[in-house]
Amino acid sequence: GAGVSQSPRYKVAKRGQDVALRCDPISGHVSLFWYQQALGQGPEFLTYFQNEAQLDKSGLPSDRFFAERPEGSVSTLKIQRTQQEDSAVYLCASSLFNGPDRHSYEQYFGPGTRLTVT
Amino acid sequence: QKEVEQNSGPLSVPEGAIASLNCTYSDRGSQSFFWYRQYSGKSPELIMSIYSNGDKEDGRFTAQLNKASQYVSLLIRDSQPSDSATYLCAVNGATGGFKTIFGAGTRLFVKA
């Protein structure tokens, strides 16, 4: 079946512009995660949704970052007034999350969006 | 202290050898442990998950978990050049949440 898809794959923004990054999770997956990955580092947790509910947004670096998943499927990560330090790969992952079955917590990643702020 | 620590490497092993990758974590409440492989320019790919103490084998991969020592490892037997990648350790479920913490990754080179 189709995996997680993200768009755009590459985005170049001038400093101060707003950007919106889209994630289409695997069909039927309840949980959706956003991560930020800088070069040479592991993914850094940004936020987590269970269906349409944003249960954890502790990783969002500032109030310029906002994520939503209004219908419990597609999610959008929005970054307002982009700064150079926002340049990174933004990864989306989804998991089935089927209660007590721990294997359903396994996360599957999309290809990422590489954001470059000039 | 980082929440999930890995040696950055690079770890270099000859083809056919066993590669051993290690990870320690700081939160004793962590419940779920994952190993991901990430090729350069690609996104992480799940290769193993482990939830209870002991060993778990899947093909050439064995994950080991020791919750008392807060230690997770990944062994790759009969290493192949195609195994050359960065291996990421990930931990979640601490304090009942789903926040997942990744280590910085260990770069593995398998020499032909």
Side-chain angles (χ1 to χ4, degrees), chain A residues 56 102, chain B residues 3 25-33 91-101:
Chain A
D56 189 332
R102 287 196 177 277
Chain B
E3 294 179 75
Y25 59 95
S26 61
D27 194 323
R28 283 194 173 276
S30 301
Q31 303 283 331
S32 304
F33 307 86
V91 175
N92 81 359
T95 60
F98 291 93
K99 180 175 180 176
T100 305
I101 306 298

Side-chain angles (χ1 to χ4, degrees), chain A residues 33 35 37 40-43 45 48 50 56 58 91 97 102-103 105-111, chain B residues 2 31-32 34 36 38 41 43-44 46 49 51 56 88 92 98-105:
Chain A
F33 300 77
Y35 296 89
Q37 187 172 28
Q41 299 297 313
F45 172 87
Y48 161 72
Q50 191 170 308
D56 189 332
S58 62
L91 294 164
F97 181 56
R102 287 196 177 277
H103 287 287
Y105 297 0
E106 294 167 353
Q107 296 176 40
Y108 297 89
F109 282 83
Chain B
K2 290 185 181 177
Q31 303 283 331
S32 304
F34 307 93
Y36 285 84
Q38 187 171 28
S43 59
L46 179 69
S49 59
Y51 308 102
K56 178 181 176 183
L88 298 164
N92 81 359
F98 291 93
K99 180 175 180 176
T100 305
I101 306 298
F102 280 77

Side-chain angles (χ1 to χ4, degrees), chain A:
Chain A
V4 179
S5 60
Q6 292 186 245
S7 60
R9 292 292 311 279
Y10 303 91
K11 177 70 179 177
V12 178
K14 290 189 190 311
R15 188 161 56 96
Q17 280 186 331
D18 297 349
V19 298
L21 312 180
R22 176 187 168 106
C23 173
D24 275 278
I26 293 171
S27 178
H29 276 201
V30 169
S31 298
L32 186 145
F33 300 77
W34 282 100
Y35 296 89
Q36 180 190 61
Q37 187 172 28
L39 195 62
Q41 299 297 313
E44 292 274 351
F45 172 87
L46 294 177
T47 188
Y48 161 72
F49 289 85
Q50 191 170 308
N51 295 306
E52 69 278 5
Q54 188 174 22
L55 299 186
D56 189 332
K57 55 181 179 179
S58 62
L60 295 176
S62 77
D63 58 8
R64 296 186 294 104
F65 286 71
F66 171 77
E68 60 182 5
R69 193 186 186 198
E71 297 178 0
S73 177
V74 170
S75 177
T76 304
L77 176 67
K78 297 179 179 176
I79 309 174
Q80 295 177 323
R81 304 181 302 282
T82 51
Q83 304 295 313
Q84 283 193 315
E85 62 263 27
D86 299 335
S87 295
V89 174
Y90 289 85
L91 294 164
C92 175
S94 70
S95 66
L96 183 60
F97 181 56
N98 185 20
D101 178 5
R102 287 196 177 277
H103 287 287
S104 72
Y105 297 0
E106 294 167 353
Q107 296 176 40
Y108 297 89
F109 282 83
T113 294
R114 181 176 297 278
L115 172 65
T116 302
V117 181
T118 60

Side-chain angles (χ1 to χ4, degrees), chain B residues 34-50:
Chain B
F34 307 93
W35 283 99
Y36 285 84
R37 177 175 63 199
Q38 187 171 28
Y39 292 113
S40 181
K42 301 294 186 184
S43 59
E45 172 193 8
L46 179 69
I47 51 174
M48 289 287 286
S49 59
I50 188 165

